Amino acid sequence: KGKIEVDDSSAKQTIFGFGGAFTDASATNFQKLSSEVQLKFLDKYFGENGINYSMGRIPMNSCDFSLETYSFDNASNDFNLSHFDSNVTFDQTTKIPLVKKALSLNPNIKFFASPWSPPAWMKNPVEDESGKMVQ
């Protein structure tokens, strides 16, 4: 069997926290739970009596755990983001309510947003969402 040895006499790096991703899939499934089970879930993950997650990653735009493909700026050639949806409308019904509930149990949780992929109009060929970035 493998073995892990920890040398606590020498600090090499700082751990900012532990957590999980607030994806469309997790938020959608969370909403399908009864109110009672939602409270248990939240307490187990974010409460002081649970594992007390201290970090959360929020995907920007859709990712591989999304129910559909979407972007917060679908206007072609909008490199200034003039048409960026600053209300993040798509996330208002699923991800944001889950984030707020997690914050209600752990107001010190830290979040970071990470883009999964740029919008299709930023890739070549534009029709192929797996294409290369526009140069």
Side-chain angles (χ1 to χ4, degrees):
K1 289 194 169 192
K3 174 169 99 170
I4 297 175
E5 292 185 29
V6 177
D7 178 4
D8 60 0
S9 66
S10 174
K12 303 277 186 200
Q13 56 189 313
T14 302
I15 296 174
F16 293 106
F18 294 95
F22 288 73
T23 64
D24 295 331
S26 64
T28 299
N29 284 310
F30 174 80
Q31 285 184 335
K32 292 178 182 179
L33 301 172
S34 69
S35 297
E36 180 182 334
V37 175
Q38 283 184 7
L39 291 173
K40 287 181 182 179
F41 171 90
L42 291 165
D43 187 53
K44 296 288 184 191
Y45 280 92
F46 306 103
E48 291 181 18
N49 299 318
I51 55 178
N52 201 14
Y53 271 177
S54 57
M55 296 198 73
R57 179 179 62 83
I58 304 172
M60 292 172 57
N61 300 321
S62 59
C63 71
D64 59 343
F65 293 105
S66 295
L67 304 178
E68 61 186 90
T69 301
Y70 66 95
S71 169
F72 292 121
D73 191 342
N74 286 320
S76 293
N77 299 314
D78 185 18
F79 293 102
N80 292 325
L81 300 177
S82 303
H83 300 280
F84 185 83
D85 178 9
S86 59
N87 293 318
V88 290
T89 305
F90 193 90
D91 292 344
Q92 291 294 331
T93 57
T94 54
K95 281 194 266 189
I96 291 175
L98 178 55
V99 166
K100 287 181 176 180
K101 288 179 179 181
L103 276 168
S104 72
L105 282 177
N106 183 352
N108 296 317
I109 192 170
K110 304 289 186 241
F111 295 98
F112 65 96
S114 61
W116 190 260
S117 179
W121 61 266
M122 294 182 86
K123 301 176 185 178
N124 280 326
V126 171
E127 298 82 27
D128 181 5
E129 292 186 9
S130 64
K132 296 187 289 185
M133 289 293 297
V134 173
Q135 304 219 341

